[in-house]
Every structure is written in structure tokens, then in C-alpha cells.
mmCIF file of all heavy atoms in Angstrom:
data_model
loop_
_atom_site.group_PDB
_atom_site.id
_atom_site.type_symbol
_atom_site.label_atom_id
_atom_site.label_comp_id
_atom_site.label_asym_id
_atom_site.label_seq_id
_atom_site.Cartn_x
_atom_site.Cartn_y
_atom_site.Cartn_z
ATOM 1 N N ASN A 513 2.895 -7.106 33.931
ATOM 2 C CA ASN A 513 1.453 -7.495 33.580
ATOM 3 C C ASN A 513 1.332 -8.844 32.868
ATOM 4 O O ASN A 513 0.238 -9.161 32.406
ATOM 5 C CB ASN A 513 0.829 -6.369 32.725
ATOM 6 C CG ASN A 513 0.641 -5.064 33.473
ATOM 7 O OD1 ASN A 513 0.327 -5.057 34.668
ATOM 8 N ND2 ASN A 513 0.835 -3.944 32.806
ATOM 9 N N TYR A 514 2.408 -9.631 32.935
ATOM 10 C CA TYR A 514 2.324 -10.933 32.402
ATOM 11 C C TYR A 514 2.358 -11.914 33.542
ATOM 12 O O TYR A 514 3.239 -11.882 34.440
ATOM 13 C CB TYR A 514 3.487 -11.282 31.435
ATOM 14 C CG TYR A 514 3.409 -10.524 30.111
ATOM 15 C CD1 TYR A 514 4.008 -9.300 29.959
ATOM 16 C CD2 TYR A 514 2.751 -11.101 29.037
ATOM 17 C CE1 TYR A 514 3.950 -8.603 28.719
ATOM 18 C CE2 TYR A 514 2.659 -10.527 27.793
ATOM 19 C CZ TYR A 514 3.255 -9.278 27.629
ATOM 20 O OH TYR A 514 3.130 -8.593 26.428
ATOM 21 N N ARG A 515 1.471 -12.879 33.557
ATOM 22 C CA ARG A 515 1.459 -13.930 34.519
ATOM 23 C C ARG A 515 2.452 -15.051 34.176
ATOM 24 O O ARG A 515 2.358 -15.611 33.095
ATOM 25 C CB ARG A 515 0.047 -14.577 34.732
ATOM 26 C CG ARG A 515 0.019 -15.684 35.772
ATOM 27 C CD ARG A 515 -1.376 -16.251 35.884
ATOM 28 N NE ARG A 515 -1.435 -17.410 36.746
ATOM 29 C CZ ARG A 515 -1.149 -18.625 36.423
ATOM 30 N NH1 ARG A 515 -0.843 -18.906 35.165
ATOM 31 N NH2 ARG A 515 -1.225 -19.698 37.320
ATOM 32 N N VAL A 516 3.377 -15.267 35.068
ATOM 33 C CA VAL A 516 4.421 -16.243 34.767
ATOM 34 C C VAL A 516 4.244 -17.387 35.821
ATOM 35 O O VAL A 516 4.404 -17.217 36.946
ATOM 36 C CB VAL A 516 5.889 -15.701 34.932
ATOM 37 C CG1 VAL A 516 6.851 -16.746 34.611
ATOM 38 C CG2 VAL A 516 6.026 -14.503 34.052
ATOM 39 N N PRO A 517 3.888 -18.598 35.307
ATOM 40 C CA PRO A 517 3.580 -19.725 36.225
ATOM 41 C C PRO A 517 4.903 -20.238 36.892
ATOM 42 O O PRO A 517 6.017 -20.091 36.359
ATOM 43 C CB PRO A 517 2.986 -20.739 35.291
ATOM 44 C CG PRO A 517 2.620 -20.057 34.042
ATOM 45 C CD PRO A 517 3.589 -18.965 33.945
ATOM 46 N N LYS A 518 4.703 -20.848 37.994
ATOM 47 C CA LYS A 518 5.796 -21.565 38.696
ATOM 48 C C LYS A 518 6.435 -22.615 37.787
ATOM 49 O O LYS A 518 5.706 -23.278 37.030
ATOM 50 C CB LYS A 518 5.270 -22.221 39.977
ATOM 51 C CG LYS A 518 6.259 -23.059 40.707
ATOM 52 C CD LYS A 518 5.622 -23.784 41.906
ATOM 53 C CE LYS A 518 6.622 -24.650 42.562
ATOM 54 N NZ LYS A 518 6.024 -25.354 43.833
ATOM 55 N N GLY A 519 7.755 -22.673 37.824
ATOM 56 C CA GLY A 519 8.447 -23.710 37.015
ATOM 57 C C GLY A 519 8.904 -23.223 35.701
ATOM 58 O O GLY A 519 9.641 -23.964 34.947
ATOM 59 N N VAL A 520 8.452 -22.001 35.250
ATOM 60 C CA VAL A 520 8.833 -21.416 33.965
ATOM 61 C C VAL A 520 10.193 -20.713 34.105
ATOM 62 O O VAL A 520 10.407 -20.023 35.026
ATOM 63 C CB VAL A 520 7.756 -20.532 33.424
ATOM 64 C CG1 VAL A 520 8.287 -19.753 32.191
ATOM 65 C CG2 VAL A 520 6.511 -21.317 33.035
ATOM 66 N N ASN A 521 11.053 -20.911 33.096
ATOM 67 C CA ASN A 521 12.345 -20.137 33.101
ATOM 68 C C ASN A 521 12.191 -18.705 32.575
ATOM 69 O O ASN A 521 11.525 -18.584 31.572
ATOM 70 C CB ASN A 521 13.390 -20.889 32.318
ATOM 71 C CG ASN A 521 13.911 -22.152 32.899
ATOM 72 O OD1 ASN A 521 13.951 -22.262 34.118
ATOM 73 N ND2 ASN A 521 14.212 -23.130 32.107
ATOM 74 N N VAL A 522 12.723 -17.822 33.260
ATOM 75 C CA VAL A 522 12.741 -16.383 32.830
ATOM 76 C C VAL A 522 14.205 -16.008 32.481
ATOM 77 O O VAL A 522 15.106 -16.240 33.301
ATOM 78 C CB VAL A 522 12.192 -15.460 33.922
ATOM 79 C CG1 VAL A 522 12.339 -14.006 33.524
ATOM 80 C CG2 VAL A 522 10.675 -15.793 34.144
ATOM 81 N N VAL A 523 14.333 -15.499 31.327
ATOM 82 C CA VAL A 523 15.737 -15.120 30.874
ATOM 83 C C VAL A 523 15.933 -13.575 30.934
ATOM 84 O O VAL A 523 15.066 -12.804 30.414
ATOM 85 C CB VAL A 523 15.942 -15.621 29.416
ATOM 86 C CG1 VAL A 523 17.309 -15.146 28.932
ATOM 87 C CG2 VAL A 523 15.772 -17.121 29.423
ATOM 88 N N SER A 524 16.992 -13.104 31.504
ATOM 89 C CA SER A 524 17.349 -11.721 31.490
ATOM 90 C C SER A 524 18.568 -11.541 30.524
ATOM 91 O O SER A 524 19.641 -11.942 30.881
ATOM 92 C CB SER A 524 17.762 -11.211 32.896
ATOM 93 O OG SER A 524 18.166 -9.892 32.876
ATOM 94 N N PRO A 525 18.286 -10.985 29.321
ATOM 95 C CA PRO A 525 19.381 -10.928 28.361
ATOM 96 C C PRO A 525 20.224 -9.674 28.505
ATOM 97 O O PRO A 525 20.175 -8.738 27.738
ATOM 98 C CB PRO A 525 18.596 -10.890 27.024
ATOM 99 C CG PRO A 525 17.364 -10.163 27.410
ATOM 100 C CD PRO A 525 17.033 -10.505 28.792
ATOM 101 N N HIS A 526 21.074 -9.692 29.522
ATOM 102 C CA HIS A 526 21.732 -8.426 29.865
ATOM 103 C C HIS A 526 22.792 -8.051 28.810
ATOM 104 O O HIS A 526 23.144 -6.801 28.673
ATOM 105 C CB HIS A 526 22.462 -8.495 31.281
ATOM 106 C CG HIS A 526 23.309 -9.715 31.499
ATOM 107 N ND1 HIS A 526 22.821 -10.802 32.123
ATOM 108 C CD2 HIS A 526 24.593 -9.980 31.115
ATOM 109 C CE1 HIS A 526 23.790 -11.691 32.206
ATOM 110 N NE2 HIS A 526 24.888 -11.259 31.596
ATOM 111 N N PHE A 527 23.252 -8.938 27.980
ATOM 112 C CA PHE A 527 24.127 -8.540 26.894
ATOM 113 C C PHE A 527 23.393 -7.639 25.940
ATOM 114 O O PHE A 527 23.950 -6.537 25.496
ATOM 115 C CB PHE A 527 24.627 -9.834 26.111
ATOM 116 C CG PHE A 527 25.556 -9.590 24.962
ATOM 117 C CD1 PHE A 527 26.394 -8.447 24.954
ATOM 118 C CD2 PHE A 527 25.637 -10.454 23.889
ATOM 119 C CE1 PHE A 527 27.226 -8.228 23.909
ATOM 120 C CE2 PHE A 527 26.535 -10.228 22.859
ATOM 121 C CZ PHE A 527 27.287 -9.105 22.815
ATOM 122 N N TYR A 528 22.161 -7.980 25.545
ATOM 123 C CA TYR A 528 21.324 -7.173 24.762
ATOM 124 C C TYR A 528 20.984 -5.838 25.413
ATOM 125 O O TYR A 528 21.135 -4.773 24.847
ATOM 126 C CB TYR A 528 20.055 -7.932 24.300
ATOM 127 C CG TYR A 528 18.998 -7.072 23.665
ATOM 128 C CD1 TYR A 528 19.159 -6.785 22.308
ATOM 129 C CD2 TYR A 528 17.925 -6.647 24.386
ATOM 130 C CE1 TYR A 528 18.158 -5.901 21.705
ATOM 131 C CE2 TYR A 528 16.934 -5.838 23.751
ATOM 132 C CZ TYR A 528 17.080 -5.515 22.441
ATOM 133 O OH TYR A 528 16.122 -4.715 21.812
ATOM 134 N N LEU A 529 20.576 -5.941 26.673
ATOM 135 C CA LEU A 529 20.141 -4.732 27.442
ATOM 136 C C LEU A 529 21.278 -3.758 27.507
ATOM 137 O O LEU A 529 21.088 -2.488 27.453
ATOM 138 C CB LEU A 529 19.646 -5.087 28.722
ATOM 139 C CG LEU A 529 18.389 -6.022 28.827
ATOM 140 C CD1 LEU A 529 18.102 -6.423 30.261
ATOM 141 C CD2 LEU A 529 17.210 -5.260 28.236
ATOM 142 N N CYS A 530 22.509 -4.249 27.781
ATOM 143 C CA CYS A 530 23.652 -3.294 27.996
ATOM 144 C C CYS A 530 24.046 -2.605 26.718
ATOM 145 O O CYS A 530 24.877 -1.656 26.783
ATOM 146 C CB CYS A 530 24.840 -4.135 28.542
ATOM 147 S SG CYS A 530 24.676 -4.541 30.312
ATOM 148 N N GLN A 531 23.512 -3.012 25.539
ATOM 149 C CA GLN A 531 23.842 -2.301 24.323
ATOM 150 C C GLN A 531 22.758 -1.240 23.967
ATOM 151 O O GLN A 531 22.845 -0.604 22.911
ATOM 152 C CB GLN A 531 23.892 -3.348 23.173
ATOM 153 C CG GLN A 531 24.841 -4.550 23.414
ATOM 154 C CD GLN A 531 26.192 -4.276 23.747
ATOM 155 O OE1 GLN A 531 26.762 -3.495 23.092
ATOM 156 N NE2 GLN A 531 26.707 -4.827 24.781
ATOM 157 N N GLN A 532 21.774 -1.076 24.825
ATOM 158 C CA GLN A 532 20.658 -0.209 24.453
ATOM 159 C C GLN A 532 20.967 1.224 25.004
ATOM 160 O O GLN A 532 21.328 1.448 26.177
ATOM 161 C CB GLN A 532 19.355 -0.725 25.116
ATOM 162 C CG GLN A 532 19.068 -2.130 24.679
ATOM 163 C CD GLN A 532 18.901 -2.250 23.169
ATOM 164 O OE1 GLN A 532 18.125 -1.571 22.550
ATOM 165 N NE2 GLN A 532 19.736 -3.201 22.635
ATOM 166 N N GLU A 533 20.686 2.200 24.112
ATOM 167 C CA GLU A 533 20.905 3.628 24.455
ATOM 168 C C GLU A 533 19.978 4.119 25.641
ATOM 169 O O GLU A 533 20.272 4.986 26.322
ATOM 170 C CB GLU A 533 20.682 4.565 23.282
ATOM 171 C CG GLU A 533 21.754 4.361 22.180
ATOM 172 C CD GLU A 533 23.028 5.031 22.617
ATOM 173 O OE1 GLU A 533 23.076 6.012 23.408
ATOM 174 O OE2 GLU A 533 24.101 4.512 22.180
ATOM 175 N N LYS A 534 18.854 3.407 25.742
ATOM 176 C CA LYS A 534 17.914 3.752 26.880
ATOM 177 C C LYS A 534 18.540 3.518 28.214
ATOM 178 O O LYS A 534 18.132 4.088 29.224
ATOM 179 C CB LYS A 534 16.644 3.063 26.765
ATOM 180 C CG LYS A 534 16.697 1.571 26.899
ATOM 181 C CD LYS A 534 15.331 0.858 26.661
ATOM 182 C CE LYS A 534 14.351 1.206 27.818
ATOM 183 N NZ LYS A 534 13.122 0.431 27.685
ATOM 184 N N TYR A 535 19.517 2.676 28.283
ATOM 185 C CA TYR A 535 20.177 2.353 29.560
ATOM 186 C C TYR A 535 21.557 2.937 29.697
ATOM 187 O O TYR A 535 21.989 3.317 30.804
ATOM 188 C CB TYR A 535 20.286 0.821 29.773
ATOM 189 C CG TYR A 535 18.944 0.165 29.802
ATOM 190 C CD1 TYR A 535 18.579 -0.806 28.821
ATOM 191 C CD2 TYR A 535 17.980 0.488 30.803
ATOM 192 C CE1 TYR A 535 17.344 -1.394 28.890
ATOM 193 C CE2 TYR A 535 16.731 -0.174 30.859
ATOM 194 C CZ TYR A 535 16.405 -1.080 29.899
ATOM 195 O OH TYR A 535 15.146 -1.710 29.926
ATOM 196 N N PHE A 536 22.315 3.035 28.631
ATOM 197 C CA PHE A 536 23.651 3.578 28.667
ATOM 198 C C PHE A 536 23.862 4.515 27.458
ATOM 199 O O PHE A 536 23.646 4.087 26.313
ATOM 200 C CB PHE A 536 24.746 2.415 28.568
ATOM 201 C CG PHE A 536 24.696 1.524 29.740
ATOM 202 C CD1 PHE A 536 24.053 0.296 29.630
ATOM 203 C CD2 PHE A 536 25.268 1.854 30.911
ATOM 204 C CE1 PHE A 536 24.060 -0.612 30.765
ATOM 205 C CE2 PHE A 536 25.302 0.955 32.043
ATOM 206 C CZ PHE A 536 24.646 -0.233 31.912
ATOM 207 N N SER A 537 24.281 5.700 27.610
ATOM 208 C CA SER A 537 24.647 6.615 26.568
ATOM 209 C C SER A 537 25.820 6.103 25.829
ATOM 210 O O SER A 537 26.746 5.576 26.447
ATOM 211 C CB SER A 537 24.801 8.038 27.046
ATOM 212 O OG SER A 537 25.938 8.124 27.948
ATOM 213 N N GLN A 538 25.844 6.306 24.522
ATOM 214 C CA GLN A 538 26.946 5.715 23.673
ATOM 215 C C GLN A 538 27.254 4.325 24.081
ATOM 216 O O GLN A 538 28.386 3.954 24.426
ATOM 217 C CB GLN A 538 28.174 6.631 23.830
ATOM 218 C CG GLN A 538 28.002 8.087 23.453
ATOM 219 C CD GLN A 538 29.298 8.916 23.535
ATOM 220 O OE1 GLN A 538 30.188 8.734 22.709
ATOM 221 N NE2 GLN A 538 29.406 9.737 24.550
ATOM 222 N N ALA A 539 26.205 3.528 24.044
ATOM 223 C CA ALA A 539 26.246 2.181 24.584
ATOM 224 C C ALA A 539 27.305 1.286 23.915
ATOM 225 O O ALA A 539 27.765 0.310 24.500
ATOM 226 C CB ALA A 539 24.898 1.520 24.498
ATOM 227 N N ASP A 540 27.653 1.553 22.657
ATOM 228 C CA ASP A 540 28.620 0.812 21.922
ATOM 229 C C ASP A 540 30.044 1.168 22.181
ATOM 230 O O ASP A 540 30.967 0.616 21.616
ATOM 231 C CB ASP A 540 28.294 0.752 20.445
ATOM 232 C CG ASP A 540 28.416 2.160 19.827
ATOM 233 O OD1 ASP A 540 28.255 3.165 20.574
ATOM 234 O OD2 ASP A 540 28.625 2.211 18.584
ATOM 235 N N LYS A 541 30.293 2.214 22.984
ATOM 236 C CA LYS A 541 31.603 2.713 23.223
ATOM 237 C C LYS A 541 32.147 2.232 24.603
ATOM 238 O O LYS A 541 31.360 2.039 25.532
ATOM 239 C CB LYS A 541 31.578 4.241 23.216
ATOM 240 C CG LYS A 541 31.001 4.864 21.971
ATOM 241 C CD LYS A 541 31.805 4.599 20.755
ATOM 242 C CE LYS A 541 31.264 5.342 19.531
ATOM 243 N NZ LYS A 541 32.064 4.987 18.264
ATOM 244 N N PHE A 542 33.452 2.064 24.651
ATOM 245 C CA PHE A 542 34.164 1.760 25.826
ATOM 246 C C PHE A 542 34.452 2.970 26.584
ATOM 247 O O PHE A 542 35.323 3.771 26.212
ATOM 248 C CB PHE A 542 35.494 1.019 25.518
ATOM 249 C CG PHE A 542 36.295 0.614 26.695
ATOM 250 C CD1 PHE A 542 35.834 -0.301 27.647
ATOM 251 C CD2 PHE A 542 37.549 1.188 26.856
ATOM 252 C CE1 PHE A 542 36.629 -0.675 28.726
ATOM 253 C CE2 PHE A 542 38.359 0.844 28.016
ATOM 254 C CZ PHE A 542 37.876 -0.106 28.876
ATOM 255 N N ILE A 543 33.619 3.260 27.642
ATOM 256 C CA ILE A 543 33.737 4.518 28.403
ATOM 257 C C ILE A 543 33.731 4.128 29.912
ATOM 258 O O ILE A 543 32.655 4.090 30.580
ATOM 259 C CB ILE A 543 32.554 5.465 28.069
ATOM 260 C CG1 ILE A 543 32.465 5.686 26.558
ATOM 261 C CG2 ILE A 543 32.715 6.779 28.833
ATOM 262 C CD1 ILE A 543 31.334 6.562 26.112
ATOM 263 N N PRO A 544 34.879 3.844 30.431
ATOM 264 C CA PRO A 544 34.979 3.456 31.870
ATOM 265 C C PRO A 544 34.415 4.524 32.813
ATOM 266 O O PRO A 544 33.933 4.277 33.922
ATOM 267 C CB PRO A 544 36.380 3.150 32.114
ATOM 268 C CG PRO A 544 36.959 2.868 30.734
ATOM 269 C CD PRO A 544 36.175 3.679 29.812
ATOM 270 N N GLU A 545 34.537 5.778 32.366
ATOM 271 C CA GLU A 545 34.117 6.898 33.217
ATOM 272 C C GLU A 545 32.679 6.859 33.559
ATOM 273 O O GLU A 545 32.273 7.465 34.597
ATOM 274 C CB GLU A 545 34.432 8.271 32.497
ATOM 275 C CG GLU A 545 35.896 8.601 32.393
ATOM 276 C CD GLU A 545 36.583 7.832 31.252
ATOM 277 O OE1 GLU A 545 35.931 7.128 30.525
ATOM 278 O OE2 GLU A 545 37.779 8.039 31.160
ATOM 279 N N ARG A 546 31.854 6.153 32.848
ATOM 280 C CA ARG A 546 30.430 6.069 33.140
ATOM 281 C C ARG A 546 30.189 5.422 34.515
ATOM 282 O O ARG A 546 29.124 5.554 35.082
ATOM 283 C CB ARG A 546 29.677 5.316 32.055
ATOM 284 C CG ARG A 546 29.922 3.808 31.994
ATOM 285 C CD ARG A 546 29.069 3.158 30.980
ATOM 286 N NE ARG A 546 29.573 3.159 29.623
ATOM 287 C CZ ARG A 546 28.969 3.831 28.606
ATOM 288 N NH1 ARG A 546 27.827 4.511 28.849
ATOM 289 N NH2 ARG A 546 29.485 3.785 27.357
ATOM 290 N N TRP A 547 31.153 4.733 35.026
ATOM 291 C CA TRP A 547 31.081 4.024 36.307
ATOM 292 C C TRP A 547 31.559 4.823 37.492
ATOM 293 O O TRP A 547 31.522 4.412 38.635
ATOM 294 C CB TRP A 547 31.747 2.684 36.264
ATOM 295 C CG TRP A 547 31.187 1.772 35.221
ATOM 296 C CD1 TRP A 547 31.688 1.644 33.979
ATOM 297 C CD2 TRP A 547 30.079 0.957 35.355
ATOM 298 N NE1 TRP A 547 30.907 0.737 33.271
ATOM 299 C CE2 TRP A 547 29.952 0.223 34.129
ATOM 300 C CE3 TRP A 547 29.187 0.588 36.452
ATOM 301 C CZ2 TRP A 547 28.892 -0.699 33.846
ATOM 302 C CZ3 TRP A 547 28.193 -0.304 36.143
ATOM 303 C CH2 TRP A 547 28.064 -0.955 34.898
ATOM 304 N N LEU A 548 32.118 6.066 37.199
ATOM 305 C CA LEU A 548 32.742 6.925 38.218
ATOM 306 C C LEU A 548 32.012 8.144 38.485
ATOM 307 O O LEU A 548 31.273 8.648 37.552
ATOM 308 C CB LEU A 548 34.171 7.219 37.823
ATOM 309 C CG LEU A 548 35.092 6.074 37.452
ATOM 310 C CD1 LEU A 548 36.390 6.611 36.885
ATOM 311 C CD2 LEU A 548 35.353 5.223 38.747
ATOM 312 N N LYS A 549 32.137 8.724 39.651
ATOM 313 C CA LYS A 549 31.643 10.061 39.937
ATOM 314 C C LYS A 549 32.365 11.070 39.031
ATOM 315 O O LYS A 549 33.578 10.933 38.792
ATOM 316 C CB LYS A 549 31.870 10.415 41.369
ATOM 317 C CG LYS A 549 30.914 9.720 42.378
ATOM 318 C CD LYS A 549 31.107 10.226 43.758
ATOM 319 C CE LYS A 549 30.112 9.610 44.711
ATOM 320 N NZ LYS A 549 30.272 10.137 46.160
ATOM 321 N N SER A 550 31.641 12.068 38.561
ATOM 322 C CA SER A 550 32.269 13.126 37.767
ATOM 323 C C SER A 550 33.128 14.012 38.665
ATOM 324 O O SER A 550 33.048 13.972 39.920
ATOM 325 C CB SER A 550 31.220 13.908 36.993
ATOM 326 O OG SER A 550 30.294 14.511 37.914
ATOM 327 N N ASP A 551 33.908 14.878 38.014
ATOM 328 C CA ASP A 551 34.764 15.769 38.786
ATOM 329 C C ASP A 551 34.026 16.734 39.703
ATOM 330 O O ASP A 551 34.492 17.164 40.745
ATOM 331 C CB ASP A 551 35.674 16.605 37.778
ATOM 332 C CG ASP A 551 36.658 15.699 37.024
ATOM 333 O OD1 ASP A 551 36.992 14.662 37.563
ATOM 334 O OD2 ASP A 551 37.065 16.078 35.932
ATOM 335 N N ASP A 552 32.778 17.038 39.324
ATOM 336 C CA ASP A 552 31.946 17.927 40.131
ATOM 337 C C ASP A 552 31.174 17.165 41.196
ATOM 338 O O ASP A 552 30.310 17.734 41.892
ATOM 339 C CB ASP A 552 30.993 18.774 39.256
ATOM 340 C CG ASP A 552 30.077 17.867 38.440
ATOM 341 O OD1 ASP A 552 30.040 16.617 38.647
ATOM 342 O OD2 ASP A 552 29.367 18.408 37.584
ATOM 343 N N GLY A 553 31.467 15.874 41.395
ATOM 344 C CA GLY A 553 30.837 15.086 42.426
ATOM 345 C C GLY A 553 29.513 14.464 42.107
ATOM 346 O O GLY A 553 28.898 13.788 42.921
ATOM 347 N N LYS A 554 29.079 14.646 40.859
ATOM 348 C CA LYS A 554 27.789 14.040 40.458
ATOM 349 C C LYS A 554 27.906 12.517 40.373
ATOM 350 O O LYS A 554 28.973 11.997 40.085
ATOM 351 C CB LYS A 554 27.371 14.558 39.043
ATOM 352 C CG LYS A 554 26.961 16.046 39.117
ATOM 353 C CD LYS A 554 26.425 16.463 37.768
ATOM 354 C CE LYS A 554 25.985 17.965 37.757
ATOM 355 N NZ LYS A 554 25.530 18.379 36.398
ATOM 356 N N GLN A 555 26.798 11.847 40.782
ATOM 357 C CA GLN A 555 26.772 10.395 40.670
ATOM 358 C C GLN A 555 27.057 9.860 39.206
ATOM 359 O O GLN A 555 26.686 10.517 38.227
ATOM 360 C CB GLN A 555 25.453 9.884 41.166
ATOM 361 C CG GLN A 555 25.221 10.068 42.645
ATOM 362 C CD GLN A 555 26.204 9.238 43.466
ATOM 363 O OE1 GLN A 555 26.460 8.097 43.184
ATOM 364 N NE2 GLN A 555 26.707 9.862 44.530
ATOM 365 N N PRO A 556 27.671 8.713 39.156
ATOM 366 C CA PRO A 556 27.921 8.164 37.779
ATOM 367 C C PRO A 556 26.594 7.890 37.003
ATOM 368 O O PRO A 556 25.602 7.660 37.662
ATOM 369 C CB PRO A 556 28.716 6.885 38.072
ATOM 370 C CG PRO A 556 28.364 6.540 39.485
ATOM 371 C CD PRO A 556 28.178 7.824 40.173
#
């Protein structure tokens, strides 16, 4: 809902976003398993 004119830079701060619990549970933890299918076949 924000109008962004041509020529304006838009920044996606994925370092900040990747630390948010709304996107990753236990976001501050090193949990490689979050990228894998679980043992019961559920999507990561």
C-alpha cells in the first residue's frame, strides 16, 4: 500500500528478517534440520 516511484532504491534486510520468530522458530539457534523434511515426510 505504499507507492514507490521509479528510480527509488528498495532494501530487503534479510539479515534482520532471518532473525525474526515470525519467520523462523528459534531464530537465533543453529538448526540445520529446519531445511530438511522431517522423518514423517512433512515439508521443512
Side-chain angles (χ1 to χ4, degrees):
N513 295 323
Y514 289 92
R515 179 180 175 275
V516 182
K518 175 182 177 180
V520 170
N521 287 330
V522 174
V523 177
S524 176
H526 51 263
F527 181 28
Y528 169 78
L529 296 174
C530 283
Q531 312 301 314
Q532 304 302 303
E533 290 288 329
K534 65 182 292 187
Y535 298 117
F536 297 99
S537 61
Q538 302 182 73
D540 62 335
K541 305 294 184 183
F542 178 66
I543 307 177
E545 290 79 4
R546 71 174 83 246
W547 300 95
L548 303 173
K549 286 185 178 181
S550 58
D551 293 337
D552 58 8
K554 291 183 179 179
Q555 290 295 318

